Structures are given as structure tokens and as C-alpha cells.
Amino acid sequence: MTETIQPFRIEIPQADLDYLHDRLAHARWPGELPGAGWTRGMPLAQLTELAEYWRTQYDWRAQEASLNRYPQFITEIDGQPIHFLHVRSDRPGAKPLLITHGFPSSVAEFLRLIEPLVDPAEGQAFHVVAPSLPGYAFSTPLAGAGWTMGRTARAWVELMRRLGYDRYGVHGGDIGAGVSGVVGGLDGAHVIGVHVVTDPLTAANTATFLPGMADRLDPNDPVDKLILDRMDAFRTDGSGYLAIQNSRPQTIGYGLVDSPLLQLAWIAEKVHEWTDLPVDRDQLLTNVSLYWFTGSGASAAHTLYEQAHSHDWGAPPTAPQGFAVFGADETVRRLIPVPAGTHWTEFDRGLHFPALEAPAQLAADLRTFFTPLS
């Protein structure tokens, strides 16, 4: 293993862009049953329109330049290439903050969050470190099996050590929330706080994987009944994408790497289901494009497989914890009991992707949580 950190710049060859446009122009489209709507997956009309926009109007070069405005680097940790954004603030007292994305996402999720953190109108500023998860985007190729949340967290601890940060905060959502929590447990001597985001759907979906959770809930209690209904809906109607990646990542990987339509639908469907505020279409397509150009749909699926078959969760964090709940209702408190005095902020709107849906509110909550910590 080398500790070398090398500058990185995104430069997708024009031939790759031309190939994408050609594949979209000559796509084979399935039929659609009348009246199905969203009940059987992404409707034909919505995907046709989005694919045509991707082919004819979306400007990858402009988005590539937007990403390249932020300093990027690549290093090797535990045999795995790790790509990351490292954006330092020039504000006095800026605090290092490690932010981790989830699935089906990438560092493109943070494009509207970084500036309010690095250069806020007022209040606490941050030096932002945003890695691409192993197997995602430019943290590829996946060097081998075993990239669980725990192993990723150990890599993040090593990354922050290499960058020379003695005290730092961590933040994440989805997989990033799990990784951030493990970082807090592994590196308690250096982590000042762990901030995560969640929402009612994510909390209920996660509860389906907790042994005995359904038995602990009372169907006669209205809040518990709502949780049980959401858990049942996820098991019967919403978990197919996860089931196939958790069991057959290689098989679904052939389609994700070879078909831009499948990669587009695979992500756009989840963004539709897991948001309740508008998401910028270009930012969505930048995320999809990163998966497509790097062929990381398959390797991301393999890391989901690893997590589903792992018990490598690490110890709970010892640093202060903060929770930002988007689209909040009474179910999340029931599912995530926390000690009195824990930082807990509820937002009426937004769901699974607050950095896409409500970056200003998320940035403000990060400032509120981390300002008093040192």
C-alpha cells in the first residue's frame, strides 16, 4: 500500500459520450400494460422523456466542469482506489467534515451542499472531504470482495489520517449513515461528532432487517401500525432492487453496465420513490452519468451484496450524535430511540436525499450540530 495522494480530474473521452448518445438513440423499448402507472416500475412515458433529454439536451461537459471546480484526488487504501473531493475553506475556524453518500448515489449528490458548507453566508465553515464509496464512480475498479461498511469505515479513518486531520466530524445518509457511525466508533479519539440523516421510509425499510422488530410492535397502536404497514409494503413491493443486488449482483451488473436505459431507470425510479421535493434533473443525470461512464452499477451492486452478508458493523460511536429527520412523522422517534438531549431536528419536507432536495436546510443543521463541538 502506498500513501501517495494524487490529483484527479474528470475527463470523459468524447468517444464515450458519443457512444452513450448512440445507444440512447437506438434503444429498444418494451411495451407497457395500460393503466399500470408506477405500480410495476418506471412508466414508459417518463423514462422515454428523461432518456431523450439525457441524449439531446443534458450537457455533460458543463456538469463535468462543475464537478472539476472542486479539487479531487485519488489514493489507494487497503488495495482499493479511493477517489475523493477535498474542498478547503478559507474561513478561520473551519472544521474538517467527512461526508459520505449512499445508494444509488455518488459525490454528485453533494454539488449543492458543498458551497454552503465551505463558504457559508454566516456561521461555522467546514473543510469538506467527500469520498466516493469503494466500487462507486471513480473509486473503481473494485479490487476484490469484502468491502463492507466496517472495512469502508476503516479506509475513511486512514484517509483522514493521511490528510492530517486530528479532529473532524462525520456525516452521511443511507450507506453513508452506517459508515459514518462506524467511523465514530473506530476513531473516537479524533471524531468530534456523528451527524446522520434519515426519513420515515428509510427508518421503516431498515426496520424490516432487524430481527424481531415486527414482534416488538403493537398492531393496535396507530404509530406501530403505520410502521408495520410500511415494513410490509417494503417487503412486498419495494425491496426487489435490493433483493437482486443482495443475491445476484453479477447478473444484474451485466445489464447495468451494458444498458444506459436500465442504469437510468434503476436510479431514477428510486429518486422518484424516495423524494417529495423537486430534484434538479441535470443533477440527477450527472449522478446517473457517473455510474454509466465508470461502469460502476455492477461494482456498487457487489458492495451491497457484501453488506447484506456481513456482520462487520463495528462499535457504536462514542462522540456526540446528531439526527436530521426529513419528512418527519412520529414513527422515526419510535424506531430510533435516542437519549434525552441528543441533537434531533425534524423537517416537514424532503426524504431520502436531503442533499439533493433541501441542501440549505441540511447545511444549516450541520452548522448547528457541529458549531459547539471541538
Side-chain angles (χ1 to χ4, degrees):
M1 181 171 68
T2 174
E3 296 196 4
T4 301
I5 296 175
Q6 297 178 328
F8 182 87
R9 184 175 177 83
I10 302 172
E11 294 178 329
I12 299 301
Q14 184 60 40
D16 290 1
L17 198 56
D18 293 341
Y19 177 69
L20 169 63
H21 293 161
D22 184 67
R23 287 294 303 273
L24 291 171
H26 296 92
R28 296 179 64 191
W29 294 92
E32 183 178 51
L33 295 178
W38 283 89
T39 62
R40 300 189 179 212
M42 191 165 186
L44 181 61
Q46 278 85 345
L47 189 61
T48 302
E49 189 275 334
L50 189 57
E52 181 65 8
Y53 181 86
W54 194 16
R55 184 179 74 87
T56 62
Q57 297 182 60
Y58 170 75
D59 187 347
W60 163 255
R61 291 302 182 200
Q63 298 301 314
E64 184 180 64
S66 181
L67 281 163
N68 282 331
R69 286 191 303 115
Y70 299 118
Q72 298 171 64
F73 303 87
I74 197 159
T75 190
E76 180 185 307
I77 301 177
D78 195 9
Q80 175 63 41
I82 299 296
H83 161 262
F84 62 99
L85 279 62
H86 186 197
V87 190
R88 290 185 57 83
S89 175
D90 59 6
R91 300 291 187 89
K95 295 177 180 178
L97 180 63
L98 172 66
I99 60 177
T100 307
H101 67 84
F103 174 86
S105 197
S106 68
V107 293
E109 180 180 350
F110 300 131
L111 280 173
R112 298 185 178 212
L113 180 65
I114 292 173
E115 207 66 36
L117 293 177
V118 172
D119 189 24
E122 58 182 5
Q124 180 67 55
F126 298 91
H127 306 304
V128 173
V129 179
S132 298
L133 286 166
Y136 288 69
F138 300 105
S139 288
T140 48
L142 196 61
W147 278 99
T148 61
M149 285 189 188
R151 188 176 178 186
T152 301
R154 291 188 286 275
W156 278 196
V157 171
E158 171 62 16
L159 175 62
M160 296 304 279
R161 185 196 69 79
R162 290 185 188 184
L163 294 176
Y165 288 129
D166 185 60
R167 301 288 287 165
Y168 62 95
V170 291
H171 160 78
D174 189 71
I175 296 169
V179 171
S180 296
V182 181
V183 169
L186 288 170
D187 202 23
H190 301 104
V191 172
I192 64 173
V194 178
H195 183 280
V196 300
V197 294
T198 190
D199 62 88
L201 294 180
T202 299
N205 295 352
T206 302
T208 64
F209 299 103
L210 302 178
M213 174 56 75
D215 296 333
R216 296 196 291 271
L217 298 171
D218 179 4
N220 296 311
D221 178 279
V223 176
D224 284 2
K225 176 66 163 55
L226 182 54
I227 295 170
L228 287 166
D229 288 346
R230 286 173 176 164
M231 291 170 63
D232 184 62
F234 180 68
R235 279 191 297 264
T236 60
D237 189 52
S239 61
Y241 79 99
L242 194 56
I244 192 168
Q245 293 179 116
N246 285 353
S247 60
R248 297 293 184 270
Q250 187 68 27
T251 303
I252 189 62
Y254 296 122
L256 291 171
V257 170
D258 185 61
S259 170
L261 286 188
L262 178 56
Q263 186 64 86
L264 177 61
W266 202 249
I267 293 176
E269 179 194 87
K270 293 306 158 200
V271 172
H272 170 82
E273 289 182 349
W274 297 344
T275 59
D276 74 345
L277 288 173
V279 170
D280 180 78
R281 183 162 54 174
D282 285 350
Q283 192 174 4
L284 165 63
L285 288 172
T286 299
N287 182 50
V288 176
S289 297
L290 286 176
Y291 278 80
W292 172 255
F293 288 131
T294 61
S296 56
S299 50
H302 279 286
T303 62
L304 292 174
Y305 176 95
E306 301 291 348
Q307 290 155 23
H309 294 81
S310 168
H311 300 286
D312 185 13
W313 302 107
T318 56
Q321 297 182 66
F323 296 84
V325 184
F326 286 81
D329 65 18
E330 62 271 32
T331 65
V332 184
R333 276 282 194 183
R334 188 73 55 91
L335 289 168
I336 309 177
V338 295
T342 299
H343 177 91
W344 184 279
T345 308
E346 296 186 352
F347 298 91
D348 292 338
R349 300 293 305 278
L351 285 174
H352 190 71
F353 301 99
L356 292 176
E357 300 176 80
Q361 291 91 328
L362 177 54
D365 197 63
L366 285 163
R367 284 194 293 272
T368 300
F369 174 65
F370 282 109
T371 294
L373 304 181
S374 61

